[in-house]
Amino acid sequence: MRNYSIDTLKFLCAIFVIYIHTPSPEDWKAFIKPLTICAVPIFFMISGYMTYGKSNLNITLPNRIKY
């Protein structure tokens, strides 16, 4: 089952990463910078969540490492 909350969070993080790499007015940078700093770590956390899921890691993790 698809989790739309995670998809929304990934979308927002993508927007913040794009914002980091574009020139913007100084007024906005002071307000949005704390959010943009968190965007990449959130991507890593979501990737870990999606990778491991809820299955038995003792069986699936060695199989994922082999291939």
Side-chain angles (χ1 to χ4, degrees):
M1 185 156 79
R2 190 164 187 106
N3 190 340
Y4 293 107
S5 299
I6 291 177
D7 289 340
T8 304
L9 185 59
K10 287 190 315 188
F11 174 75
L12 289 174
C13 287
I15 296 296
F16 289 142
V17 170
I18 291 169
Y19 186 79
I20 290 171
H21 296 290
T22 57
S24 60
E26 290 298 322
D27 299 342
W28 286 93
K29 276 197 178 206
F31 178 70
I32 295 183
K33 187 170 181 170
L35 297 174
T36 59
I37 290 173
C38 297
V40 175
I42 290 173
F43 269 117
F44 281 118
M45 288 186 273
I46 290 172
S47 296
Y49 173 77
M50 299 302 278
T51 300
Y52 293 114
K54 295 181 181 178
S55 62
N56 188 356
L57 289 179
N58 294 331
I59 297 169
T60 58
L61 190 57
N63 290 337
R64 289 180 183 174
I65 292 172
K66 286 181 193 176
Y67 301 106

